[in-house]
Amino acid sequence: MSLKAVVPPATAPNTERMRETANAQLDSTFFGKLPLEIRDMIYAECWKASGLKQHIFIRGGSLTHWPCTLPSHEPDERLEELQRMVQVQEVPLRSRTRALRLDDKWAARFSSPWHEHWRCEEDMREKALDNVDTYQGHPSHTQRTLFLPILLTCKRMYLEARHSLYASVTLTFTDLAAAHACLALSPNTVASQLRSLAFSLVLPFDTLHQHRLRSSPAEPAGSWADLCTALSNLVRFAALRDVTIRLGLASASASAGYTSSIGGRKTRSTHEIHHHDIDVNAWWQVREHWVLSAVRGMLARRLVLQLPRTGPTQRRPTWVLPYSYPEDGDRVESENVPFRRLERYAALPPMRFRNDGRVEPCMDAPRRATAPLFSITSDASSKEGWSRPGCAITRAWAKRRNREKMMGFVRARRET
């Protein structure tokens, strides 16, 4: 099912028609006696009371919002709880299987689709159950704010307040489908007037690399690349100035049912293309340069990028280093990091939730050098040859030849 079928594209209001038909209301106290500066201060206080950071998510086939209560740069409490459970339950440090017991509350927090914003999701669900809609007979997932009351008061107040609203409020997305529906499917509505956006996305390996692993440029680039293109257009042609993207890797079990089709067209996954049976569960296996190649131009200069930090015990193979950005301890040079700022955060280890109520976190480092999931080529050669018509066939044969060499090396090593 396409995203357009889930969330129909919105239409922008005719502001020119509203200006022609709006009443000046000079006899009123608000518009007739208060100057514009005072009215803007009143609008700003209303936005502050409603929440300057708002979560945007899909609920019941439509986009809705909820206030974000997560302070900036606050450490994830789930990391401390995971360390406490490991110590209390006395799990061996080098154990390959760490089955931890979880209660229902912490199981929901560790598997929250809002990721580090799990407190916001808990607050939303608790207040939704308290505010049961007596007419519909089901919980209401909306909170009373001053956004719509002010915008629906009159035409003049709508034309005045919307600029202050979009300049003050930061929209936060924790779901790629909601972000794509709001920004990529309807780029000429509210999205063109936003000043600040924040994203916290945990995506499968295939979705992050889809735009670089397609066999021909005619195939769809994927929702992640489409989102980056929409953000680039908003920065270049609209009012967007601040963008924060926090990326994470979804485990193989969590991404089994993930749909990366756009417009009803399904694409083959990376594992299907390259016939690998390796579970991609660690961030060090991600080629950061390839994933962020969709971020171009002015968007990179406005972007604050947050990537997972590789643990001290997770030593990356040498083939990963040319495709990764520097860690906290590495020397960061401006030509190596084309973004406004690059930050590393401590991410949760990949987890597998069992049917018996236990969870198995994968906290061990790779014990031997791991082969890459696809052929190793330089970024410069791939970028220069991407525009040539026959480059897809050449790359396909190169990947097959490298795979045959790798399999021959493994067989020879097993025989010896």
Side-chain angles (χ1 to χ4, degrees):
M1 180 180 295
S2 64
L3 290 175
K4 291 184 179 180
V6 178
V7 181
T11 57
N14 190 351
T15 56
E16 297 296 333
R17 179 63 177 171
M18 294 179 66
R19 288 191 181 93
E20 296 175 358
T21 58
N23 190 350
Q25 306 182 46
L26 298 179
D27 297 336
S28 65
T29 304
F30 187 79
F31 292 107
K33 296 184 178 181
L34 296 179
L36 179 59
E37 293 78 8
I38 301 299
R39 297 200 297 269
D40 287 339
M41 295 174 62
I42 296 176
Y43 296 145
E45 291 297 325
C46 294
W47 313 145
K48 186 177 180 180
S50 301
L52 296 181
K53 294 190 296 184
Q54 295 287 326
H55 284 281
I56 305 298
F57 56 98
I58 299 176
R59 179 69 66 180
S62 61
L63 293 172
T64 184
H65 64 92
W66 190 266
C68 177
T69 58
L70 179 66
S72 302
H73 302 286
E74 181 180 356
D76 196 346
E77 189 178 346
R78 297 178 299 177
L79 290 171
E80 301 178 359
E81 179 63 20
L82 179 61
Q83 295 178 359
R84 189 192 66 82
M85 288 190 301
V86 171
Q87 296 176 359
V88 171
Q89 300 183 22
E90 297 181 355
V91 180
L93 294 179
R94 297 301 300 177
S95 175
R96 299 293 292 176
T97 302
R98 301 183 177 189
L100 303 176
R101 292 185 300 271
L102 287 178
D103 54 8
D104 295 339
K105 180 179 69 174
W106 279 104
R109 291 176 176 179
F110 279 112
S111 60
S112 174
W114 290 31
H115 318 308
E116 76 276 7
H117 295 269
W118 53 269
R119 287 190 178 274
C120 302
E121 184 191 17
E122 283 188 354
D123 185 58
M124 183 267 295
R125 296 188 181 279
E126 291 176 359
K127 293 185 178 180
L129 293 176
D130 295 338
N131 302 327
V132 177
D133 191 351
T134 56
Y135 297 98
Q136 300 293 335
H138 58 80
S140 175
H141 293 275
T142 58
Q143 187 181 24
R144 295 184 181 273
T145 59
L146 298 176
F147 299 129
L148 278 180
I150 291 180
L151 296 178
L152 298 179
T153 299
C154 62
K155 296 180 180 179
R156 181 176 179 181
M157 185 170 291
Y158 172 83
L159 296 173
E160 275 189 4
R162 66 191 185 112
H163 297 289
S164 174
L165 171 62
Y166 301 140
S168 303
V169 176
T170 299
L171 301 186
T172 302
F173 297 89
T174 57
D175 181 23
L176 184 59
H180 189 270
C182 181
L183 304 176
L185 298 183
S186 304
N188 297 323
T189 56
V190 176
S192 61
Q193 307 174 42
L194 296 172
R195 296 286 186 89
S196 178
L197 291 174
F199 301 87
S200 178
L201 304 175
V202 177
L203 304 177
F205 184 88
D206 303 343
T207 305
L208 291 172
H209 296 83
Q210 182 178 352
H211 62 285
R212 291 298 299 263
L213 297 179
R214 47 184 178 163
S215 58
S216 66
E219 294 186 2
S223 53
W224 162 247
D226 292 343
L227 176 62
C228 293
T229 302
L231 292 177
S232 300
N233 295 333
L234 292 177
V235 171
R236 184 177 180 183
F237 303 108
L240 187 60
R241 294 297 176 265
D242 297 322
V243 183
T244 302
I245 297 181
R246 181 187 179 106
L247 287 179
L249 180 65
S251 60
S253 59
S255 60
Y258 192 91
T259 302
S260 59
S261 61
I262 300 299
R265 301 174 59 185
K266 295 184 178 180
T267 57
R268 292 181 301 169
S269 63
T270 308
H271 304 285
E272 183 181 356
I273 293 175
H274 301 280
H275 305 285
H276 279 282
D277 297 328
I278 303 174
D279 290 336
V280 183
N281 286 325
W283 180 260
W284 62 266
Q285 295 172 285
V286 175
R287 295 192 176 186
E288 297 176 350
H289 285 269
W290 283 23
V291 171
L292 298 168
S293 62
V295 178
R296 304 182 182 93
M298 298 179 62
L299 174 60
R301 294 191 290 270
R302 304 285 186 181
L303 177 63
V304 176
L305 183 63
Q306 299 177 355
L307 299 179
R309 182 187 301 114
T310 304
T313 60
Q314 295 177 343
R315 296 183 178 180
R316 296 172 292 178
T318 56
W319 62 265
V320 183
L321 299 179
Y323 302 96
S324 301
Y325 288 103
E327 292 279 350
D328 291 341
D330 300 336
R331 180 177 299 178
V332 179
E333 299 180 359
S334 58
E335 59 269 15
N336 295 333
V337 182
F339 312 108
R340 177 183 172 186
R341 188 168 68 252
L342 174 62
E343 301 175 353
R344 295 282 181 172
Y345 69 93
L348 283 174
M351 296 183 178
R352 185 172 69 90
F353 293 89
R354 305 193 322 192
N355 296 330
D356 57 355
R358 292 174 175 264
V359 61
E360 294 181 1
C362 181
M363 302 174 64
D364 289 338
R367 302 196 174 186
R368 60 180 180 274
T370 309
L373 296 181
F374 25 73
S375 60
I376 301 176
T377 57
S378 62
D379 289 347
S381 61
S382 61
K383 291 180 181 179
E384 292 174 359
W386 180 252
S387 59
R388 293 197 296 268
C391 65
I393 301 176
T394 305
R395 287 199 311 275
W397 278 105
K399 293 174 183 177
R400 181 177 179 180
R401 184 168 58 254
N402 291 343
R403 175 171 172 79
E404 291 176 354
K405 291 181 180 179
M406 182 64 66
M407 296 301 297
F409 174 76
V410 172
R411 286 195 295 268
R413 188 174 181 179
R414 288 179 179 176
E415 292 176 358
T416 56

